[in-house]
């Protein structure tokens, strides 16, 4: 299968590119970095620089591929003006999806976000209604990032309604890799009172890449949305205990499949995609959240 991966030079894009190659797929990559005109390393995928907010660039990329994995986006709303975040993320998704529909691409994987329900970057704070959060949780985004991702998922609904394309939206939790585990999760591991909107949830980038490969290879009809998160929480805390300790009865506690459960449920992805996470923060950090020494 020939797969186009957008945003290929970010942490998720890089891991996904390698996972696709390892799975035996032909890969074409794109991002905003200037291409190199030096000899490419053996096995390196083709790279094309493109700004996907330009419809012509999107159409030029998509022709001839079997699947699109759309990772490219400004990754959160705080480092750019709101209109920049919203325009970039929504129009890039619109253009690349329009091109995919026009060229009869069979499968489109959209990297959405755990922020879609709205309680990550709100101007007026609110909490999840229940935990672990799943795909049925109500959606009330306020910020330009979550709103654009929510609209992106709606674009997937519209695409499958008017064409034969099959779409999967992936909502990753906070993505970690070997270079940022200690900085990001260390404080939560040492102290459960260091809170996050994701309720101590995270995901390893290589587990996420595995899920994306499964999504691209899937023959699920229509449009499905999946959360992807590690099954445990950062720190291995007793989830029911810390949820009650820090949130009282403000967040309804639902059934857990393990004591140290994540604040996000991935039961749907495990059942429908066959995704099985293999990695944990414990593979990178000790019990105090410090990097393991070789």
């Amino acid at each position: 299968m020939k797969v186009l991966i957008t945003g290929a030079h970010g942490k998720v894009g890089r891991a996904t590119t390698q996972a696709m190659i390892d799975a035996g797929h032909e890969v074409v990559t794109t991002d905003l970095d200037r291409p190199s005109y030096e000899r490419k390393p053996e096995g390196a995928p083709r790279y094309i620089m493109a700004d996907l907010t330009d419809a012509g660039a999107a159409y030029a990329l998509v022709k001839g591929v079997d699947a699109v994995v759309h990772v490219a986006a400004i990754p959160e709303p705080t480092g750019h003006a709101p209109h920049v975040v919203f325009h970039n993320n929504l129009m890039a998704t619109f253009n690349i999806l329009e091109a995919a529909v026009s060229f009869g691409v069979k499968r489109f994987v959209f990297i959405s976000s755990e922020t879609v329900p709205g309680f990550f970057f709100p101007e007026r704070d609110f909490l999840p209604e229940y935990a672990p959060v799943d795909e049925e949780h109500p959606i009330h985004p306020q910020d330009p990032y979550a709103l654009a991702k929510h609209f992106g998922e709606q674009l997937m609904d519209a695409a499958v309604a008017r064409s034969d394309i099959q779409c999967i939206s992936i909502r990753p939790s906070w993505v970690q890799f070997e270079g940022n585990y200690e900085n990001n999760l260390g404080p939560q591991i040492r102290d459960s009172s260091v809170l996050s909107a994701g309720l101590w949830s995270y995901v390893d980038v290589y587990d996420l890449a595995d899920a994306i490969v499964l999504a691209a290879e899937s023959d699920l009809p229509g449009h499905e949305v999946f959360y992807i998160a590690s099954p445990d929480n950062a720190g291995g805390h007793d989830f029911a205990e810390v949820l009650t300790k820090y949130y009282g009865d403000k967040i309804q506690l639902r059934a857990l499949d393990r004591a140290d459960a994540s604040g996000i449920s991935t039961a749907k992805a495990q059942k429908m995609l066959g995704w099985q996470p293999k990695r944990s923060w414990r593979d990178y950090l000790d019990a105090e959240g410090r990097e393991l020494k070789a």
Side-chain angles (χ1 to χ4, degrees):
M1 181 167 63
K2 187 174 183 180
V3 183
L4 170 67
I5 300 175
T6 74
H9 289 175
K11 62 183 176 182
V12 176
R14 290 182 188 277
T16 300
T17 296
Q18 189 59 55
M20 284 288 179
I21 292 171
D22 292 345
H25 299 296
E26 179 184 356
V27 174
V28 179
T29 62
T30 186
D31 212 312
L32 291 172
D33 298 334
R34 292 190 178 279
S36 167
Y37 296 100
E38 309 302 331
R39 186 187 299 275
K40 305 298 188 293
E42 185 176 353
R46 184 184 180 198
Y47 173 75
I48 304 169
M49 179 182 174
D51 180 352
L52 300 181
T53 63
D54 177 83
Y59 274 76
L61 286 168
V62 169
K63 186 177 182 180
V65 305
D66 302 302
V68 173
V69 175
H70 181 45
V71 183
I74 293 172
E76 54 102 339
T78 63
H80 297 265
H83 71 284
V84 174
V85 175
F86 186 78
H87 177 266
N88 180 85
N89 290 3
L90 186 59
M91 290 311 301
T93 303
F94 178 83
N95 288 338
I96 204 77
L97 181 59
E98 283 289 301
V101 169
S102 297
F103 286 122
V105 172
K106 298 175 182 178
R107 167 65 66 188
F108 195 102
V109 182
F110 171 51
I111 308 307
S112 183
S113 172
E114 65 176 343
T115 67
V116 164
F119 43 78
F120 283 78
F121 299 102
E123 293 190 23
R124 294 183 175 180
D125 288 342
F126 68 103
L127 295 171
E129 293 186 8
Y130 60 82
V133 175
D134 62 16
E135 294 82 1
E136 301 303 314
H137 192 284
I139 294 172
H140 305 291
Q142 300 173 21
D143 69 277
Y145 177 77
L147 191 59
K149 290 294 189 179
H150 178 40
F151 286 167
E153 292 182 3
Q154 292 179 312
L155 289 176
M156 304 301 130
D157 289 333
V160 301
R162 72 180 193 272
S163 74
D164 294 328
I165 199 169
Q166 296 169 300
C167 298
I168 288 180
S169 292
I170 298 288
R171 294 179 184 173
S173 185
W174 192 11
V175 181
Q176 310 299 318
F177 68 105
E178 56 268 30
N180 66 359
Y181 263 99
E182 181 175 355
N183 181 65
N184 287 343
L185 298 191
Q188 287 189 310
I189 292 167
R190 291 186 289 275
D191 182 358
S192 62
S193 70
V194 179
L195 306 180
S196 66
L199 302 175
W200 305 277
S201 68
Y202 71 98
V203 68
D204 187 273
V205 71
Y206 304 110
D207 279 339
L208 173 57
D210 290 343
I212 293 170
V213 171
L214 288 171
E217 295 174 340
S218 171
D219 59 0
L220 288 171
H223 173 219
E224 295 288 346
V225 177
F226 297 103
Y227 275 108
I228 299 294
S230 293
D232 60 343
N233 64 68
H237 309 296
D238 183 303
F239 185 78
E241 180 181 299
V242 294
L243 188 75
T244 301
K245 180 177 181 179
Y246 298 112
Y247 296 99
D249 59 0
K250 295 178 182 178
I251 301 175
Q252 177 192 352
L253 177 64
R254 293 193 169 182
L256 303 175
D257 57 5
R258 53 193 288 173
D260 64 344
S262 169
I264 290 177
S265 170
T266 58
K268 181 181 177 183
Q270 294 186 51
K271 179 180 180 181
M272 295 182 67
L273 281 181
W275 177 66
Q276 291 296 326
K278 305 178 183 70
R279 303 160 184 90
S280 166
W281 62 268
R282 295 175 176 86
D283 296 318
Y284 303 88
L285 307 177
D286 62 22
E288 293 301 314
R290 306 298 182 187
E291 186 174 351
L292 293 173
K293 303 303 179 183

